[in-house]
Amino acid sequence: MSSKSKITIANANVEFVCDDDTISRAAVRAGLGFPYECNVGECGNCRFELLEGDVAYLRENPPAITERDAQRKRYLGCQAQPKGDCTIKVPLRDHYKSKHLPRKVTGTLTQAIDVTHDIREFRFALSEPLKFLAGQYGLITAPGVAGARAYSMCNTGEDGAEWHFQIRKTPNGAATGALFDRMKTGESLQLDGPYGMAYLREDAPRDILCLGGGSGLSPMVSIARAAAASPALKDRHIHFVYGGRTPADICGEDMLRVLPGYAERIHYTPVVSMADDPASAGWTGKTGFVHDVAEALYGEALAGFEVYFAGPPMMAQAVTKMLIKAKVPAAQMHFDQFY
Ligand SMILES: Cc1cc2nc3c(=O)[nH]c(=O)nc-3n(C[C@H](O)[C@H](O)[C@H](O)COP(=O)(O)OP(=O)(O)OC[C@H]3O[C@@H](n4cnc5c(N)ncnc54)[C@H](O)[C@@H]3O)c2cc1C
Ligand code: FES
């Protein structure tokens, strides 16, 4: 659509070039702290005000934009592409600056491994190494599917040669349909990243709690793997609570069991939410929702943890509410909502 538009952020007196990209992604690639979260038009975090110029949306009618936004010339940075030079207003924050600047690369599928009946690990070798922080995500453009989808990596990104994703198949999902049903090893697609602020804080002198549900497995596995290997965190405990509907959804223990310190300082608790379902017959582990089980297990100790969590918005909201009640400071909570 656009080629080399100049974007001026008037309130910060900053300029950057947006070259066939969306405005917030071009800003983050240029090392700026442009606010964002989901990158798919759902959260509204990347809103900016258009003062001069014109933009077009990559995704038609992105869900996070309201009529009021449209009236006030507010747009979503992650979906807006400039039609020529633009002047905008948006509060920049250092928090959103990327340690490893995101780039677009080609990923070639080297392996696809079933994790459960509906979660598969897709391993891509990158055309050029792209490092990431444990817990971050990439944007996958699945062949034949309009719009990139966000998926969190489950490996650790010190060398960035490969990105591995644990992806849950969405019934009738466009991107997951393409990946699960049509993508063959040896085939390639576009990867863009790394993105996301829910990465491992190696400088946080606290025990770690990872809470994951369903599709939220991948970033929690990445965090646990990186934390287990981090010299700075060698004395910290890593608690991992993972929830599924029935025992068939439960997974992750084998990935933790191979880490140094499993059982001594790495602790895994699986939770089943549909305990009365016939498919859960014989389950003797914890039952209920992940946030309730975490609250029952850790109680007042929660305020002393660095907490990482990932999953659908309803789960993320329930966990946040529980953590606020438990007086966990906001600075100790790190999460992505999986829209
Ligand atoms: C930060 C983040 C990390 C995530 N990590 C994981 C993960 O590790 N594992 C996992 O299984 N899932 C993850 N997800 C969810 C994943 O991105 C998809 O929503 C899910 O796989 C369903 O995609 P689908 O295309 O199969 O389903 P569909 O029902 O076809 O698509 C639904 C999703 O696609 C988005 N979408 C639809 N049209 C467009 C478009 N034109 N442009 C851009 N987006 C569009 C919607 O907002 C919605 O999120 C994550 C989501 C986010 C936001
Ligand atoms: S980052 Fe743009 S809507 Fe979420």
Side-chain angles (χ1 to χ4, degrees):
M1 151 138 345
S2 63
S3 58
K4 289 217 185 289
S5 301
K6 186 179 79 181
I7 312 296
T8 306
I9 304 182
N11 53 303
N13 206 13
V14 165
E15 284 176 11
F16 62 97
V17 172
C18 185
D19 183 0
D20 196 18
D21 210 344
T22 70
I23 288 184
S24 60
R25 286 181 214 158
V28 176
R29 287 185 223 286
L32 300 174
F34 199 115
Y36 74 96
E37 189 186 323
C38 71
N39 252 314
V40 291
E42 297 271 356
C43 74
N45 233 17
C46 59
R47 252 188 212 90
F48 68 86
E49 194 181 329
L50 185 65
L51 303 178
E52 277 170 36
D54 199 5
V55 298
Y57 271 137
L58 194 61
R59 178 178 182 182
E60 229 178 291
N61 302 320
I65 212 75
T66 63
E67 223 164 86
R68 197 175 155 83
D69 287 325
Q71 281 160 7
R72 298 188 161 202
K73 296 204 90 177
R74 287 195 199 130
Y75 293 86
L76 297 179
C78 73
Q79 300 302 316
Q81 293 186 299
K83 292 158 96 177
D85 294 350
C86 292
T87 303
I88 66 170
K89 188 174 161 191
V90 67
L92 299 181
R93 301 266 180 271
D94 281 353
H95 168 68
Y96 293 103
K97 282 186 181 170
S98 224
K99 178 169 178 203
H100 303 299
L101 295 183
R103 290 203 310 272
K104 290 178 192 167
V105 295
T106 300
T108 302
L109 186 67
T110 56
Q111 259 185 302
I113 305 159
D114 283 336
V115 175
T116 66
H117 62 103
D118 64 356
I119 297 180
R120 190 175 291 171
E121 183 169 320
F122 294 86
R123 298 184 172 180
F124 292 93
L126 270 54
S127 49
E128 52 183 288
L130 207 43
K131 293 182 185 182
F132 62 87
L133 303 171
Q136 286 194 295
Y137 70 88
L139 295 174
I140 294 185
T141 303
V145 177
R149 303 289 193 272
Y151 293 103
S152 310
M153 284 70 86
C154 65
N155 59 328
T156 56
E158 325 79 320
D159 70 5
E162 290 209 356
W163 286 14
H164 302 171
F165 303 90
Q166 287 163 345
I167 298 180
R168 179 162 176 229
K169 188 164 193 212
T170 301
N172 305 315
T176 52
L179 290 167
F180 277 74
D181 301 337
R182 297 190 289 283
M183 185 104 198
K184 306 269 183 296
T185 51
E187 290 180 352
S188 302
L189 45 63
Q190 189 193 75
L191 294 174
D192 179 7
Y195 293 103
M197 268 59 66
Y199 53 81
L200 177 69
R201 270 54 176 183
E202 289 195 55
D203 55 354
R206 279 175 279 275
D207 287 344
I208 289 170
L209 176 60
C210 294
L211 303 174
S215 56
L217 176 72
S218 204
M220 297 301 102
V221 169
S222 177
I223 297 268
R225 284 174 167 162
S230 164
L233 298 171
K234 68 178 181 7
D235 298 324
R236 310 316 327 177
H237 283 252
I238 303 164
H239 301 265
F240 196 105
V241 183
Y242 180 72
R245 282 160 303 187
T246 70
D249 300 321
I250 294 303
C251 57
E253 187 177 15
D254 54 335
M255 299 161 206
L256 303 187
R257 193 173 276 284
V258 294
L259 300 177
Y262 183 77
E264 287 114 56
R265 70 177 189 104
I266 302 176
H267 316 276
Y268 174 77
T269 307
V271 184
V272 155
S273 62
M274 287 168 49
D276 297 333
D277 192 281
S280 300
W283 175 255
T284 54
K286 300 280 181 198
T287 57
F289 290 114
V290 164
H291 62 282
D292 290 330
V293 170
E295 187 177 25
L297 279 174
Y298 305 111
E300 288 182 2
L302 283 165
F305 284 124
E306 203 70 22
V307 189
Y308 300 88
F309 53 104
M314 259 175 66
M315 179 221 159
Q317 283 151 25
V319 172
T320 309
K321 207 167 147 196
M322 181 277 288
L323 295 175
I324 291 171
K325 196 174 124 208
K327 301 195 166 44
V328 178
Q332 287 169 224
M333 300 180 203
H334 315 284
F335 64 98
D336 277 322
Q337 304 195 63
F338 285 9
Y339 296 97

